[in-house]
Amino acid sequence: MIYLDNASTTRPCEAAVKAVMRTLTDDWGNPSSLHKAGLAAELLTVDARRNIAGALTAAPECIYFTSGATEANNTLIRGMWECSFKRRRKIVISDAEHPSVEEPVRFLEENCGAEVIRISPAKNGIFDADDFIMACDENTAFISAMLINNETGTILPIKKIFTAVKKLYPDIITHTDAVQGFLKHKFKAADLAADCLTISGHKIHAVKGAGVMYIKKGLSLKPLMQGGGQERGMRPGTESVPAIYAFGEAVKALKPTVETALSNAQLLNKNFRKKLQTLDFITINSPEEASPYIINFSVKNIRSEIMLHFLEAKEICVSSGSACATGSNKSNKPLTKLGVSPKNADEALRISLSRTTVPGDLEVLISALKEGYQNLQKKG
Ligand code: PMP
């Protein structure tokens, strides 16, 4: 199988698999228990916290584990609102956020009197930092914008936006969903001027069931749930030690090669784009400056799902758009918000690379796209 859907999830790396096995066979205790089985499990979470904090160049106390990025985003959005809404009721976000940011913000807009400003990109899909900065004022509670868009790989100028916003209005809380950037591009939480940040384990070759909220020291947010006080009260509930420990071990294993992996992805992306450009039935939707890990393109007159299943029959896995955007709200397809025409959005495929992608995978895809275009055109 050729797997080119790494923005949805990634194959667990060896270190992650080993980590899970250890928590299932040896250290399977509850980290809150006071006896030695509990302590052994707790030590694994301490290890994971340290590894992940190190990768963000943050203090371990700033790391809070959740069940994934969706829970982390929801908790942070609600937490940032709760601690500011009595004085400030405006929220600034990008118009291309993942549903786990867009939907909780929409809830605040529809039910809690939040005034939400959504920033759109220019026609070419590129966001202008000044649009975000100018939308903020002393009535703004928080700003949330993703580091890298999961549909097109568009990189948002987060550092520029947050640094300027913090300078002008130090009380505005800044949050970035860094899920598609973590361990793919090098960044430090503090360098981005982010007060809060979200990442997810299964996007970086760990396993499903663990995400992280980074919350800057000194910022006190209310949790979404009440319970047994785990994660210093920010996320009560028994921790998923298998997923948390695997997250930490994957980070430890992959962190030293972030730059090499990025150069590989750049090379793969460059060659793949060149080949796509020779095919007159393809329109590339991702901007040139996008993250090399994601390439979105449209196949003329063939709906996404039709081509997706043709490729699937040839053992090639791609996406017709974010798995999270293919649910009930199809009219809300994020691609059209990134400058892609509705017709091209209907014909769009997303491929997303990882450290396991090799040039041959993309060569096979190019041949399959040519064959698919010819066959499916005839049928149409
Ligand atoms: N944010 C972004 C940008 C994502 O791509 C995803 C996963 N599609 C999420 C949040 C949600 O992550 P999780 O699956 O860990 O809830």
Side-chain angles (χ1 to χ4, degrees):
M1 178 175 80
I2 294 177
Y3 185 78
L4 295 167
D5 195 13
N6 292 282
S8 299
T9 199
T10 50
R11 181 183 186 140
C13 64
E14 216 179 301
V17 174
K18 248 170 104 176
V20 171
M21 284 313 290
R22 176 168 170 185
T23 63
L24 300 182
T25 51
D26 297 332
D27 300 325
W28 42 261
N30 182 333
S32 297
S33 302
L34 296 180
H35 46 65
K36 68 181 190 185
L39 181 63
E42 198 204 335
L43 289 178
L44 299 186
T45 68
V46 169
D47 234 36
R49 201 182 306 280
R50 201 185 304 121
N51 283 327
I52 294 167
L56 292 168
T57 329
E61 309 87 82
C62 299
I63 303 298
Y64 298 84
F65 289 112
T66 63
S67 64
T70 296
E71 187 189 336
N73 280 338
N74 272 269
T75 309
L76 290 170
I77 297 292
R78 189 61 74 88
M80 292 189 290
W81 173 252
E82 291 282 332
C83 79
S84 4
F85 79 92
K86 287 192 185 119
R87 288 157 286 127
R88 291 172 275 128
R89 308 188 71 81
K90 198 162 145 181
I91 297 172
V92 177
I93 61 170
S94 90
D95 201 17
E97 291 303 307
H98 187 268
S100 57
V101 167
E102 167 58 29
E103 293 303 319
V105 166
R106 188 186 299 278
F107 180 89
L108 297 176
E109 185 178 30
E110 289 173 357
N111 301 284
C112 307
E115 182 202 341
V116 181
I117 314 265
R118 293 178 178 81
I119 306 296
S120 299
K123 275 213 172 79
N124 59 4
I126 305 282
F127 286 89
D128 185 341
D130 288 341
D131 292 344
F132 287 89
I133 300 162
M134 273 154 32
C136 292
D137 59 23
E138 42 294 304
N139 192 31
T140 306
F142 67 86
I143 175 167
S144 176
M146 67 206 319
L147 197 57
I148 291 175
N149 178 269
N150 48 301
E151 297 289 342
T152 56
T154 298
I155 301 174
L156 278 78
I158 295 303
K159 183 175 175 175
K160 193 169 171 199
I161 299 168
F162 287 3
T163 310
V165 166
K166 279 286 174 192
K167 209 163 166 192
L168 290 168
Y169 310 103
D171 289 341
I172 296 181
I173 309 174
T174 53
H175 166 251
T176 185
D177 172 344
V179 165
Q180 298 293 348
F182 184 59
L183 280 201
K184 292 181 184 138
H185 295 260
K186 254 195 155 167
F187 63 86
K188 298 177 185 173
D191 276 1
L192 296 177
D195 294 327
C196 316
L197 178 151
T198 305
I199 53 177
S200 176
H202 73 103
K203 309 286 186 181
I204 58 113
H205 303 280
V207 300
K208 291 146 202 74
V212 156
M213 305 187 268
Y214 158 87
I215 304 177
K216 190 180 83 170
K217 258 190 218 170
L219 176 62
S220 169
L221 299 182
K222 277 194 187 154
L224 202 57
M225 299 187 291
Q226 276 76 46
Q230 290 90 343
E231 292 299 301
R232 287 147 288 148
M234 269 314 286
R235 202 284 185 170
T238 302
E239 300 88 340
S240 173
V241 183
I244 290 171
Y245 185 50
F247 195 172
E249 289 301 287
V251 168
K252 188 164 79 181
L254 303 184
K255 187 181 158 232
T257 49
V258 170
E259 272 155 348
T260 332
L262 181 61
S263 333
N264 281 343
Q266 277 160 343
L267 193 62
L268 287 168
N269 181 299
K270 198 171 130 206
N271 291 334
F272 183 61
R273 269 180 180 266
K274 260 194 208 153
K275 284 185 186 139
L276 284 182
Q277 278 157 358
T278 64
L279 306 177
D280 58 4
F281 58 90
I282 298 280
T283 309
I284 301 179
N285 299 319
S286 295
E288 288 272 354
E289 308 81 349
S291 165
Y293 284 97
I294 298 180
I295 312 169
N296 193 301
F297 56 89
S298 299
V299 184
K300 199 171 150 191
N301 296 337
I302 301 187
R303 290 196 47 231
S304 313
E305 284 80 2
I306 308 279
M307 183 57 97
L308 182 147
H309 291 303
F310 178 86
L311 296 173
E312 183 198 13
K314 295 194 162 295
E315 298 280 310
I316 305 171
C317 298
V318 303
S319 167
S320 59
S322 158
C324 316
T326 52
S328 54
N329 200 0
K330 287 202 176 165
S331 60
N332 195 15
K333 234 185 161 185
L335 264 187
T336 53
K337 296 183 173 176
L338 287 159
V340 178
S341 72
K343 182 172 185 305
N344 278 351
D346 274 346
E347 297 164 359
L349 295 176
R350 177 190 70 181
I351 68 152
S352 38
L353 316 181
S354 80
R355 290 155 182 263
T356 60
T357 313
V358 293
D361 296 344
L362 300 173
E363 279 157 28
V364 174
L365 173 63
I366 291 280
S367 307
L369 283 169
K370 285 184 197 164
E371 192 187 329
Y373 181 67
Q374 275 165 6
N375 290 3
L376 300 168
Q377 280 284 84
K378 271 187 228 144
K379 278 187 196 152

